[in-house]
Structures are given as C-alpha cells and as structure tokens.
Amino acid sequence: MKTFELNNKQRIPAVGFGVFMIPNDGPTYDATLAALKAGYRHIDTAAGYCNESDVGKAIKDSGIDRSEIFITSKLWVQDMMDYESAQKGIEASLEKSGLEYFDLYLLHQACGDYFSAWRAMETAYQEGKLKAIGVSNFYPDRLVDLALDTDVVPAVNQVEVNPFHQQDAALIYNTKYGVQLEAWAPFAEGKNGIFTNETLVEIGNKYNKSVGQVILRWLVQRGIVPLAKTVRKERMQENLNIFDFELS
C-alpha cells in the first residue's frame, strides 16, 4: 500500500476505509473485519459515528498486528467546550475502542472552544495516546488560524472532496502549511449520477477501470487520501486496486 508522510514523519496509508453511517453492534464490526481482510490498513471512525467499539473489536479479532493498522477517530462537538471536556472525550474514545492509542485523532468540526480542545489533544499527543493530531471540516481560514497559533501544526485536514467539489483552494492552503488533505465522500455519496457520468465513464473505459477507481486514483495523484465506504466485499477489493495505472 502506498503511503504519504505526515508533517510529524508518521506514515499514513494512501487509501482509507470509512465507517460513517454504518451501524454499531454488528454491521461496523463485519465491514471493518472484511476491509482488513481485503487489505485495508487504514480505518476511519469517530465518536460521532457511535461505532468506535465495533472498529476496535474488529481490529483485535483480525489477527493483524496493531502496529500495521492506522486508526483514526474524531472528537465530537459536545466534547469541545473546554480543555477538560476534550480530555474526557479523548479518553472515552480510547475506552470505547479498546485501543491504547489512535494513529490519528481529529477535531471533528471547527465548533465550540476548539482551541482549548486542541490543547487537550496536544497533551494526549505528547503522552503518546495520539500518534498524530489534526482537524476535519476546517475551511482554509480556520486551518491557518489554528496552524499559526498552536504548538503542534495539524497533521491532517479531512474535508469533502470529489469531482463535483474539488477543493482546489483547500489543497493549496493545506499544502502550504504542511497539512495532509483527506477526502470524505469521494463518491459524492452517490449523488448527481456520479457513477454514470459520461466523462468519468469514458476515462474508466480508457484504463479498463470503474468510475470509482478513476475517482480514487485522481485523488491519490493529487496527493489526497480518499476515505471510501462500502459494505460490499467486491467493492472493497475494487477500491484498493488503483495502483496499477496512472491518469494522464
């Protein structure tokens, strides 16, 4: 699996598996375990998804060494009121997942007292509970403000990126400050007829690839980490099979 280097020298797998909107108590466990068996080594969850426990259980039951799996979770807005609430939120995520550390932990949105929440994450980062810290859904102005006024520059910013929402400005500012861009909803949640779009279908035919593979390859070639969600095993395999071609 291709990886990108974060600004603290940690390596992040170039393609991740997202579990947003997959229910806890079974479905997330099954999907995560299937993804790991398919070859994914990057799993993205969040406190707000309410399925951290299923992700953690699947990791333990996979038989794969923990050091080989990159796990991301996120601090939800109710835990961003102050430093103490953020500390409690971080500990709750670790407890629910049953993990000793997260490879990446993000502020889910630029809400509440996110500067105090960030300082709590910096503390957990220094303690080794979080191997890297970053943000999610931060517009360029909020990202730059945080990057210039904190001890630890965010390693990642996770935002919506897809062919209909290409985020050129976000990519410029994230790159300028050494922040890795991640893409949620790379398939635009299936909207706007993305999988039957004539241009994307034509490109896919040229390379003998699906529209989904073309989109994921386009993101990786832009230096963006896509997070694709699916509960279908054949689609999991397909979404990983993007490293044997290059878009012109």
Side-chain angles (χ1 to χ4, degrees):
M1 169 72 74
K2 175 183 173 66
T3 62
F4 293 119
E5 185 177 87
L6 301 179
N7 58 22
N8 68 346
K9 306 304 180 183
Q10 297 287 327
R11 306 293 304 190
I12 184 170
V15 176
F17 181 76
V19 298
F20 176 58
M21 294 289 286
I22 304 179
N24 205 26
D25 297 325
T28 295
Y29 171 85
D30 293 338
T32 303
L33 195 59
L36 291 169
K37 290 181 178 179
Y40 283 91
R41 292 298 179 266
H42 178 183
I43 309 296
D44 181 272
T45 183
Y49 301 169
C50 300
N51 55 19
E52 291 169 309
S53 58
D54 263 15
V55 168
K57 188 174 186 299
I59 291 166
K60 289 187 176 181
D61 292 349
S62 70
I64 301 169
D65 191 276
R66 171 67 182 90
S67 64
E68 297 181 17
I69 307 174
F70 190 100
I71 307 297
T72 301
S73 194
K74 310 176 193 74
L75 187 71
W76 189 229
V77 293
Q78 77 266 17
D79 296 318
M80 295 166 57
M81 297 301 103
D82 51 36
Y83 182 93
E84 289 74 19
S85 65
Q87 281 187 313
K88 292 177 182 178
I90 295 166
E91 293 298 331
S93 284
L94 289 167
E95 183 177 351
K96 288 175 183 177
S97 67
L99 302 174
E100 293 183 359
Y101 66 92
F102 287 115
D103 299 273
L104 176 65
Y105 200 72
L106 310 177
L107 293 175
H108 207 138
Q109 296 181 17
C111 296
D113 185 2
Y114 62 84
F115 274 95
S116 291
W118 183 258
R119 287 195 291 271
M121 286 169 54
E122 287 179 326
T123 299
Y125 172 67
Q126 299 298 337
E127 294 172 345
K129 297 176 181 178
L130 312 175
K131 300 300 182 181
I133 55 177
V135 297
S136 178
N137 301 306
F138 270 54
Y139 288 105
D141 58 339
R142 295 298 90 204
L143 175 74
V144 173
D145 192 30
L146 188 68
L148 292 176
D149 199 32
T150 54
D151 293 332
V152 180
V153 174
V156 164
N157 186 15
Q158 187 182 119
V159 299
E160 180 183 1
V161 193
N162 53 60
F164 304 124
H165 194 51
Q166 299 190 11
Q167 295 278 23
D168 291 331
L171 184 58
I172 290 170
Y173 279 97
N174 279 262
T175 301
K176 179 179 180 179
Y177 288 89
V179 182
Q180 174 67 51
L181 202 64
E182 285 188 331
W184 61 261
F187 303 140
E189 299 178 329
K191 298 174 183 176
N192 303 321
I194 193 168
F195 293 113
T196 56
N197 178 275
E198 289 185 8
T199 300
L200 294 173
V201 169
E202 182 180 348
I203 295 170
N205 290 338
K206 175 182 177 180
Y207 295 98
N208 195 29
K209 292 291 183 178
S210 70
V211 167
Q213 289 172 316
V214 167
I215 293 169
L216 296 178
R217 180 67 200 183
W218 167 71
L219 287 163
V220 170
Q221 283 187 214
R222 294 176 74 202
I224 300 170
V225 175
L227 302 168
K229 181 195 77 174
T230 181
V231 295
R232 295 167 54 187
K233 294 180 182 179
E234 65 274 15
R235 187 61 60 80
M236 293 177 187
Q237 294 279 3
E238 179 184 302
N239 289 345
L240 284 177
N241 187 22
I242 63 168
F243 297 103
D244 59 349
F245 76 109
E246 185 171 354
L247 297 171
S248 67

